[in-house]
Amino acid sequence: MPVSCLDRTPYAGRERSMTATVRDNPAENRYEIEEDGQRVGIAVYRLDGDTIAFTHTEVDPAFGGRGLARRLVTTALDDARRRGLAVLPFCPYVRKVIAENAETYLDLVPPAQRHRFRPA
């Protein structure tokens, strides 16, 4: 399910309005974030039963500094929660987002696996 956000973020010294949409693309095993219809980032995953393993996240450097990677990852984590999936954050950026928001996302990582996924 796509999620649209309106964000006013300083960019290149001025405020810029953007609409970002995140959606799951299960055929490609990834979440994608688009800005104005252009795919600008992905979060790649492996789905195995009731577990989703995030392996890689990237955002086009031309779109860096706008919070798009964080929005992509938090939307994917929120979707994992909605779907009742356990999360294995192999991607260092996903680990970082979970660590910085432990009160919101750490419970998604199975307790027996948490020692494997210390923040990068």
Side-chain angles (χ1 to χ4, degrees), residues 48 50-53 77 84-90 98 105-117:
D48 184 17
D50 63 351
T51 301
I52 188 166
L77 292 171
L85 299 173
V87 172
L88 299 179
F90 290 100
I98 290 172
Y105 296 118
L106 186 59
D107 67 306
L108 294 173
V109 180
Q113 299 293 325
R114 291 181 190 161
H115 71 281
R116 296 175 60 196
F117 300 109

Side-chain angles (χ1 to χ4, degrees), residues 5-120:
C5 303
L6 181 63
D7 188 16
R8 297 196 182 281
T9 306
Y11 183 70
R14 66 181 193 276
E15 195 172 86
R16 179 187 157 137
S17 187
M18 68 177 162
T19 302
T21 303
V22 176
R23 67 177 39 107
D24 183 12
N25 180 344
E28 298 290 330
N29 294 315
R30 65 188 185 197
Y31 285 85
E32 301 172 340
I33 188 164
E34 295 181 351
E35 181 179 291
D36 298 325
Q38 177 184 358
R39 188 178 67 231
V40 298
I42 59 172
V44 180
Y45 64 82
R46 289 187 319 262
L47 188 61
D48 184 17
D50 63 351
T51 301
I52 188 166
F54 288 98
T55 59
H56 179 71
T57 302
E58 68 181 66
V59 170
D60 184 328
F63 294 86
R66 301 182 193 183
L68 295 173
R70 183 166 299 275
R71 182 173 304 133
L72 172 61
V73 169
T74 58
T75 301
L77 292 171
D78 290 341
D79 191 49
R81 178 180 308 286
R82 181 188 63 76
R83 295 167 59 188
L85 299 173
V87 172
L88 299 179
F90 290 100
C91 170
Y93 187 74
V94 175
R95 280 196 307 272
K96 178 182 175 187
V97 170
I98 290 172
E100 290 175 351
N101 300 280
E103 68 285 347
T104 304
Y105 296 118
L106 186 59
D107 67 306
L108 294 173
V109 180
Q113 299 293 325
R114 291 181 190 161
H115 71 281
R116 296 175 60 196
F117 300 109
R118 303 213 190 291

